[in-house]
Amino acid sequence: MTIIFKNGTLFKSIALGIIYLFAILGHSQIDHKQLLENMIKEQLLARDISDPATIKAMRNVPRHDFVPPDMQPYAYSDNPLPIGMDQTISQPYIVAYMTQVLKLKDHDRVLEVGTGSGYQAAILGQIVDTVYTIEIVEALAFTAKNRLSALGYGNIEVKTGDGYLGWPEKGPFDAIIVTAGAEEVPEPLIKQLKEGGRMIIPVGPHNGIRQLLLITKKSGKIKTREVMAVRFVPLTRTN
């Protein structure tokens, strides 16, 4: 196929095309930044998210990098989004709330059950020393591991496995966050929680409303507090 440009318009057209391309790319980047900032102000600060470390992490992690391309226009919306394999990325507020309630410190070692796209792990990785995250769906674990590595998260370790069993060889943990709904609190996770540690986990019947539980371990005793009614995809097992 041959295209003929009259009156020397070839180079002008190419130049205009390049300018237009950069304009689109620049506009897209600005839009993502503005949408992220709107998310911070309207979905987090306007509610009850006030922990500076959590807010900073939510601002620093580009959420649109953790959703499929067709979902990127909705990445900063106030709702969960599908990421494939019948899994979802939680809405920004839930991610921030579960992070804030753990009262994380920069020296903490944290276990996450349910890696998904890797977004929650990335938020945690902005705050704590080390994150260990488990995903039962091998394809999701593989993608999340590569994504987090490409984004420079050297303090996050990903593995494929049954999150119900935790990661005993890396424990005990200062905090544990479970991003899938369980019908009961997994006993292995309780055992892997460090003295003085905190765990946040949604518990309740599958296909129903669950209670987000905040669990603390002090002097070997477990204290449980209901903090919020939520919906989560179920925590699945290997058997």
Side-chain angles (χ1 to χ4, degrees):
M1 177 178 175
T2 302
I3 301 176
I4 299 174
F5 292 86
K6 296 181 178 180
N7 301 322
T9 59
L10 173 60
F11 293 107
K12 290 181 181 179
S13 297
I14 293 174
L16 288 172
I18 291 173
I19 292 171
Y20 180 68
L21 176 62
F22 276 105
I24 292 174
L25 293 174
H27 181 66
S28 176
Q29 184 178 18
I30 292 172
D31 278 350
H32 280 309
K33 289 183 178 180
Q34 188 60 57
L35 289 170
L36 188 153
E37 196 57 37
N38 290 344
M39 178 194 81
I40 297 293
K41 293 179 180 178
E42 298 170 9
Q43 301 177 38
L44 308 186
L45 296 175
R47 293 173 178 168
D48 55 357
I49 306 302
S50 59
D51 173 52
T54 297
I55 294 169
K56 181 179 179 181
M58 295 291 290
R59 181 173 276 123
N60 286 345
V61 177
R63 184 174 165 89
H64 62 276
D65 284 344
F66 292 84
V67 299
D70 62 328
M71 288 290 104
Q72 288 187 357
Y74 316 103
Y76 299 96
S77 61
D78 190 17
N79 51 265
L81 297 172
I83 57 171
M85 308 292 178
D86 295 322
Q87 301 299 305
T88 61
I89 179 174
S90 296
Q91 73 185 96
Y93 173 75
I94 291 296
V95 172
Y97 183 87
M98 292 177 73
T99 303
Q100 174 176 271
V101 78
L102 288 174
K103 299 181 179 179
L104 300 169
K105 305 293 189 298
D106 58 7
H107 54 75
D108 282 349
R109 291 160 48 88
V110 179
L111 172 67
E112 180 196 23
V113 174
T115 311
S117 68
Y119 180 65
Q120 176 72 77
I123 296 296
L124 297 170
Q126 289 274 330
I127 302 173
V128 304
D129 181 77
T130 314
V131 179
Y132 300 96
T133 179
I134 307 171
E135 173 56 55
I136 197 168
V137 181
E138 186 174 4
L140 287 178
F142 178 80
T143 301
K145 182 176 182 178
N146 289 338
R147 176 183 290 120
L148 290 166
S149 177
L151 292 173
Y153 287 94
N155 64 335
I156 301 176
E157 190 169 339
V158 183
K159 83 165 185 175
T160 304
D162 187 340
Y164 187 96
L165 302 176
W167 201 332
E169 58 269 35
K170 299 294 185 179
F173 302 100
D174 298 285
I176 298 176
I177 180 169
V178 182
T179 59
E183 292 189 297
E184 61 184 15
V185 179
E187 187 60 30
L189 299 185
I190 293 291
K191 292 180 179 178
Q192 292 168 44
L193 194 60
K194 187 180 292 186
E195 171 65 23
R198 296 84 59 204
M199 178 176 10
I200 189 76
I201 176 173
V203 176
H206 291 334
N207 301 316
I209 300 296
R210 307 179 197 269
Q211 284 295 324
L212 199 57
L213 303 182
L214 178 61
I215 298 169
T216 55
K217 181 186 284 188
K218 188 173 183 181
S219 302
K221 296 182 179 180
I222 299 299
K223 181 180 179 181
T224 301
R225 178 166 65 92
E226 295 183 354
V227 294
M228 185 187 299
V230 293
R231 284 188 180 275
F232 271 85
V233 295
L235 177 66
T236 56
R237 303 292 311 279
T238 54
N239 51 34

